[in-house]
Amino acid sequence: QVFLSEWKENKVVLSQLTNSELKEDFLHGLKMLKALQSKHVVRLLGYCEQEFTILTEYHPLGSLRGLNETLHIPKYKGMNTWHRRLMLAIDYVSIIRYLHSSPLGTLVMCDSNDLDKVLSQYLLTSDFRILVNDLDALPLVNRSAGRLVKCGHRELRGEFVAPEQRWPYGEEVPFEDDLMPPYDEKTDIWKIPDVSNFFLGHVEGSDIVRLHLFDIHAACKKKDPAERPSAQEVLDTYKRVLTLLIREAAMPASREML
């Protein structure tokens, strides 16, 4: 259960475990919150392990699921531009990059089987930045030790999850967790184009941004995970495109060509 509470005249979020079956996930989430405190992660204000309680900073705009609704509020309408939306996509890829090169090693964002689930893991701050909020499904990849991951024990379906996350033996062979091959952090890279597409929305200029990101997004969707770029490479491309488009927007002649 999650409560909005008050502490030292500040609004805070109090999360309390109510299902004892999820004890392990809850404690893993707390361990990650403690270890990963940075500009990318929601601020941990306090916790009580015995009581299974976590206290974090409150962000009134809530999760990214409400992004489009927020951008239609008169107060935030000025934020609804291709520029601001691309900045959000850059924030998102920055977080993936941080998780892939975290102080703990290479972490995979496993709570990401569909777009809605991905968006629910992140918060939108009042100054329009993104923070990761839900860290209870972050297994560690250690390639040199031959350690790969599996996101849960159930069969994953659909185009949103990476090909290597889907059952490889066809409909005629019933799913068996033990037979499912593990994978690495490149599953996160596969999902970037879909998440970015949501961020870019349908505002003036967003299709031009998509055009500039076409090649890097095609690379993210390579069937062979080893051929996909790293999160750092995606981030570098996004930043390059932002700089290029800002420069073009500042030049009237280029604007006419666009």
Side-chain angles (χ1 to χ4, degrees):
Q1 279 187 307
V2 180
F3 302 95
L4 176 58
S5 191
E6 224 170 79
W7 177 62
K8 292 188 176 178
E9 292 176 18
N10 284 312
K11 285 189 162 67
V12 293
V13 176
L14 181 75
S15 307
Q16 214 155 22
L17 183 68
T18 51
N19 181 350
S20 57
E21 284 175 27
L22 299 173
K23 209 180 277 186
E24 226 172 274
D25 288 352
F26 187 87
L27 291 174
H28 178 72
L30 174 58
K31 182 185 161 193
M32 293 293 126
L33 262 181
K34 287 196 278 189
L36 299 173
Q37 284 296 292
S38 67
K39 65 175 184 176
H40 299 295
V41 178
V42 71
R43 197 156 149 231
L44 176 66
L45 300 172
Y47 59 90
C48 178
E49 267 182 53
Q50 293 77 7
E51 299 287 327
F52 296 103
T53 301
I54 297 175
L55 206 63
T56 50
E57 207 167 42
Y58 171 62
H59 293 281
L61 295 180
S63 89
L64 283 177
R65 282 153 91 168
L67 174 66
N68 288 323
E69 288 73 22
T70 299
L71 287 168
H72 286 119
I73 298 170
K75 183 182 172 187
Y76 296 111
K77 270 203 163 129
M79 298 286 202
N80 198 11
T81 61
W82 69 263
H83 174 249
R84 184 56 72 163
R85 283 173 167 275
L86 178 54
M87 295 282 284
L88 289 174
I90 287 172
D91 255 7
Y92 167 71
V93 177
S94 298
I95 293 171
I96 298 296
R97 192 271 318 265
Y98 175 66
L99 295 177
H100 288 185
S101 54
S102 85
L104 301 174
T106 302
L107 299 166
V108 182
M109 190 57 161
C110 262
D111 263 343
S112 57
N113 300 336
D114 58 57
L115 181 62
D116 207 46
K117 187 70 174 157
V118 171
L119 298 175
S120 70
Q121 311 298 304
Y122 298 88
L123 295 171
L124 183 63
T125 68
S126 300
D127 59 350
F128 267 69
R129 291 182 312 103
I130 295 175
L131 296 173
V132 63
N133 180 49
D134 195 335
L135 299 169
D136 60 9
L138 278 185
L140 187 68
V141 166
N142 186 339
R143 238 189 237 87
S144 53
R147 186 165 154 199
L148 299 173
V149 304
K150 280 195 275 189
C151 289
H153 304 289
R154 290 196 295 271
E155 182 177 1
L156 301 179
R157 294 173 179 265
E159 288 300 306
F160 189 82
V161 296
E164 64 272 21
Q165 291 184 283
R166 296 176 223 148
W167 179 242
Y169 304 115
E171 292 290 326
E172 52 285 350
V173 182
F175 178 81
E176 232 181 287
D177 188 35
D178 292 345
L179 297 178
M180 180 67 203
Y183 34 82
D184 64 15
E185 77 282 2
K186 290 296 184 77
T187 55
D188 289 336
I189 304 297
W190 170 273
K191 294 159 189 169
I192 287 174
D194 297 301
V195 181
S196 285
N197 194 36
F198 167 80
F199 285 132
L200 291 173
H202 300 286
V203 295
E204 191 184 342
S206 63
D207 282 343
I208 289 162
V209 179
R210 282 188 183 87
L211 201 62
H212 282 276
L213 296 176
F214 183 85
D215 288 346
I216 192 75
H217 283 171
C220 291
K221 290 291 188 183
K222 288 274 176 71
K223 201 167 176 354
D224 178 358
E227 290 180 17
R228 291 175 210 151
S230 66
Q232 182 66 61
E233 289 170 305
V234 179
L235 183 60
D236 291 343
T237 304
Y238 275 35
K239 286 179 171 174
R240 223 170 23 247
V241 167
L242 178 66
T243 307
L244 174 79
L245 290 175
I246 288 172
R247 204 181 296 136
E248 284 184 357
M251 292 162 60
S254 320
R255 195 183 290 132
E256 278 162 27
M257 279 158 57
L258 292 175

